[in-house]
Amino acid sequence: MSYQSEKISGNQYKISFTVPAEEFDAAMQKAYLKNRGRINVPGFRKGKAPRKLIENMYGEAIFYDDAFDLIFPDLYDEAVEKDDLFPVDQPSVEVDQIGSGQELQFTATVYVKPDITLGDYKGLKGTRHLHPITQEEIDHRMSHDIQKMTVSEDVEGRPLQEGDTANINYLGTLDGVPFEGGQADGHDLKLGSGAFIPGFEEQVVGMNVGDEKTITVTFPEQYHAENLAGKEVQFAVKVNGASHEVAPELDDDFAQDVSEHKTFEEYRAALVKELEERRDKQAESGLENELIQQAVDAADGDIPEAMINRQVDRMFMNMKMQMVYSGMRMEDYLMYTNTTEEELKERFRDDARNNVKTDLVLEAIAKLEGIEATQEDVDAQVEEYAKEINQDVAAYKATLSDNQKEAFKDLAVTRKVVALIKDSADIDVHEGSHDDEPIDVQEVLEQVSGALEEKEETTEEKKPAKKTRKKKDEEPTEG
């Protein structure tokens, strides 16, 4: 076998192959042996018909695909490895000559990892944003611990008030006639939640446990059930029971119950330290991203569409998995946002292109600077990740595949490149507040999920190379 590779564009190579006739004939024989049992030839049992007879009946082209597939992968991989090419997509193959007794001639055109022309990546300017910890942040963090210790108690000796959860029976009638979906027994309703149509919950407030009352409300004009839209109806309501949440006193006992600290002040100081550490980590990440982006913007390279497309697909799948973890479906998200899958992927393209270019730039810097990862560097990355996912380091390390180990090695190299960029940078520190907080993806997903629920309530990696040949229902009281 002989081959010749030539660069036909910035990131595209064409490899021309010539395979001796005897090698191709051997592949044809293997293809015959592989397929003869599936070919019908009158007068012969399956698998017993001679090759020549089959070729006379069907044409020898019947074995071309399998013969080619027996030859192509090893030849292609050998050529790519010898010429230090790094394909980023499956090759497009064109067969120029094929047939028994003659050389097999074909070409493989493939996009490879592009060359990157680096710009400035040392002496950059960046800002480390260290906003002060606010009382609001402290209260928000503390609220999680408060919720753990909050208990529910029965309402006794007083009328119901907003915030209570009332257990009620209700029966709705229109002109004295019960309507579909207007009845329930033992329904828990948190007063002030806005779960029922306007005016309902407000009239339950003030009732006592055991009270019965007829409530008059008017359905919204745009209500989904046309027979109720804009209509005035009556609900017979009985309060079976009620409960309310009792939050703990924020004292030393509370601190001891939710933490290892003995006093509330020690507990609060620990929360502030936790928030400061989180802020510092985010500030460092923001600074690194700012500096990396400057290095990426200063570099130049022709990014193959195949690499961008693959990154788009990866981003789409990551978003889909996040939705699954949040109890959502991509189909629901697309419906709610009135977006198609193609439109959503198109929105990813700019970020995908930048992500691919970022990887290529960091890789180019590592190569230029001779940066490599030692085993200690890799072990440090593995340990850090294992701790993040609350896994025993030794146990987690024992489960790693070769691909995962290589990924941690790449990560270790990346971290050393980022450290080089940051260590050479001119960094300012900004300690004031800032308005551009990072987007909380989980919070966005929860908001969309909640909106979907509300809407429902109101409406009931190697593929085969491509070869071409050529001769040269909701309850009506809920709003």
Side-chain angles (χ1 to χ4, degrees):
M1 183 273 295
S2 63
Y3 74 91
Q4 182 178 2
S5 62
E6 59 176 321
K7 190 174 185 179
I8 60 178
S9 71
N11 53 26
Q12 194 176 33
Y13 273 77
K14 181 178 181 180
I15 313 173
S16 301
F17 295 87
T18 299
V19 179
E22 56 269 22
E23 290 186 23
F24 181 70
D25 285 342
M28 286 284 284
Q29 180 64 15
K30 290 180 181 179
Y32 157 69
L33 295 175
K34 174 185 175 181
N35 292 284
R36 61 183 179 178
R38 299 197 298 266
I39 301 174
N40 289 317
V41 177
F44 291 87
R45 286 180 296 152
K46 283 189 175 182
K48 298 301 181 179
R51 172 182 163 187
K52 283 298 181 183
L53 183 58
I54 295 175
E55 291 177 343
N56 287 336
M57 289 187 63
Y58 297 99
E60 68 173 27
I62 192 173
F63 300 125
Y64 285 175
D65 280 345
D66 285 314
F68 186 90
D69 289 341
L70 287 168
I71 289 176
F72 174 75
D74 290 341
L75 299 186
Y76 175 73
D77 290 345
E78 180 182 351
V80 165
E81 184 176 353
K82 283 185 176 181
D83 284 20
D84 289 327
L85 303 180
F86 297 91
V88 297
D89 196 11
Q90 296 300 315
S92 176
V93 178
E94 291 186 346
V95 178
D96 299 314
Q97 179 174 290
I98 190 170
S100 297
Q102 55 184 329
E103 293 178 336
L104 170 63
Q105 297 176 1
F106 65 94
T107 60
T109 303
V110 63
Y111 284 96
V112 300
K113 189 178 295 185
D115 294 328
I116 294 294
T117 304
L118 293 171
D120 292 335
Y121 60 88
K122 293 182 179 179
L124 303 175
K125 294 182 180 295
T127 302
R128 182 183 288 111
H129 293 276
L130 296 174
H131 70 277
I133 302 302
T134 66
Q135 185 61 46
E136 183 180 3
E137 290 177 282
I138 298 172
D139 291 342
H140 180 71
R141 169 59 184 87
M142 195 179 297
S143 68
H144 296 290
D145 290 338
I146 293 174
Q147 190 60 42
K148 294 177 188 176
M149 304 304 296
T150 296
V151 297
S152 180
E153 294 183 356
D154 291 338
V155 172
E156 296 179 349
R158 66 166 175 80
L160 300 185
Q161 60 189 30
E162 192 168 297
D164 291 341
T165 296
N167 182 277
I168 62 174
N169 299 340
Y170 61 84
L171 174 63
T173 58
L174 173 62
D175 297 331
V177 180
F179 52 84
E180 183 179 358
Q183 180 179 7
D185 290 335
H187 183 88
D188 286 329
L189 172 63
K190 184 167 185 176
L191 303 179
S193 65
F196 279 21
I197 63 175
F200 188 99
E201 295 172 34
E202 291 85 345
Q203 295 181 65
V204 177
V205 170
M207 296 178 67
N208 291 283
V209 175
D211 282 357
E212 297 185 23
K213 178 180 180 180
T214 297
I215 290 174
T216 299
V217 294
T218 301
F219 278 94
E221 292 288 346
Q222 302 301 319
Y223 196 67
H224 64 85
E226 294 182 2
N227 63 312
L228 297 174
K231 299 295 180 60
E232 183 179 271
V233 299
Q234 287 72 44
F235 283 94
V237 179
K238 178 182 179 181
V239 180
N240 304 312
S243 63
H244 67 114
E245 293 184 342
V246 179
E249 292 290 333
L250 301 184
D251 53 18
D252 294 347
D253 289 337
F254 168 76
Q256 294 169 25
D257 287 336
V258 299
S259 74
E260 58 186 13
H261 303 288
K262 294 185 178 181
T263 69
F264 182 79
E265 287 305 315
E266 290 175 350
Y267 161 72
R268 185 184 184 281
L271 293 189
V272 173
K273 182 179 179 181
E274 176 187 319
L275 291 169
E276 287 175 340
E277 289 174 349
R278 184 187 304 172
R279 173 207 62 191
D280 293 349
K281 187 175 181 179
Q282 292 176 341
E284 209 62 26
S285 178
L287 169 63
E288 291 174 357
N289 290 336
E290 179 186 2
L291 296 173
I292 290 170
Q293 190 60 55
Q294 291 180 47
V296 171
D297 291 341
D300 190 24
D302 186 12
I303 313 300
E305 285 298 313
M307 298 183 75
I308 298 172
N309 291 337
R310 187 158 59 242
Q311 181 66 18
V312 166
D313 290 340
R314 186 178 296 118
M315 293 169 70
F316 178 81
M317 288 306 300
N318 285 344
M319 182 177 182
K320 194 171 184 179
M321 289 305 299
Q322 282 184 293
M323 289 184 173
V324 170
Y325 294 147
S326 302
M328 289 179 59
R329 299 187 311 157
M330 177 59 74
E331 294 83 354
D332 294 331
Y333 173 83
L334 295 176
M335 176 188 70
Y336 175 72
T337 58
N338 193 29
T339 306
T340 66
E341 181 175 319
E342 292 72 22
E343 290 172 335
L344 181 58
K345 286 185 175 182
E346 187 60 31
R347 295 175 189 173
F348 290 151
R349 291 195 70 79
D350 288 343
D351 286 339
R353 180 181 288 103
N354 190 70
N355 291 347
V356 171
K357 186 179 178 182
T358 298
D359 290 342
L360 293 170
V361 169
L362 296 177
E363 184 179 289
I365 295 174
K367 183 177 181 179
L368 182 63
E369 295 286 344
I371 296 175
E372 296 180 349
T374 65
Q375 188 59 51
E376 289 76 14
D377 295 328
V378 178
D379 289 343
Q381 294 302 320
V382 173
E383 180 176 351
E384 180 181 339
Y385 183 75
K387 289 180 179 178
E388 284 181 0
I389 60 175
N390 297 317
Q391 295 255 341
D392 176 79
V393 177
Y396 177 71
K397 186 182 295 186
T399 67
L400 296 177
S401 66
D402 290 341
N403 285 338
Q404 288 174 313
K405 292 176 182 178
E406 194 64 29
F408 277 112
K409 183 178 179 179
D410 292 341
L411 179 59
V413 171
T414 296
R415 295 310 306 163
K416 295 178 80 169
V417 171
V418 173
L420 179 148
I421 295 174
K422 188 165 62 174
D423 290 346
S424 71
D426 180 8
I427 301 172
D428 290 331
V429 177
H430 177 66
E431 296 183 345
S433 62
H434 58 90
D435 298 326
D436 297 328
E437 294 290 345
I439 295 174
D440 187 329
V441 175
Q442 184 64 31
E443 181 179 346
V444 172
L445 290 175
E446 290 174 357
Q447 290 174 352
V448 174
S449 179
L452 282 171
E453 291 174 2
E454 180 179 333
K455 185 172 183 178
E456 288 176 358
E457 289 176 353
T458 58
T459 56
E460 314 251 335
E461 205 187 283
K462 189 172 179 184
K463 294 183 179 179
K466 176 183 177 183
K467 301 193 291 286
T468 59
R469 293 198 184 90
K470 68 176 183 178
K471 302 290 184 179
K472 193 121 191 154
D473 265 270
E474 173 217 34
E475 294 168 348
T477 53
E478 298 183 6

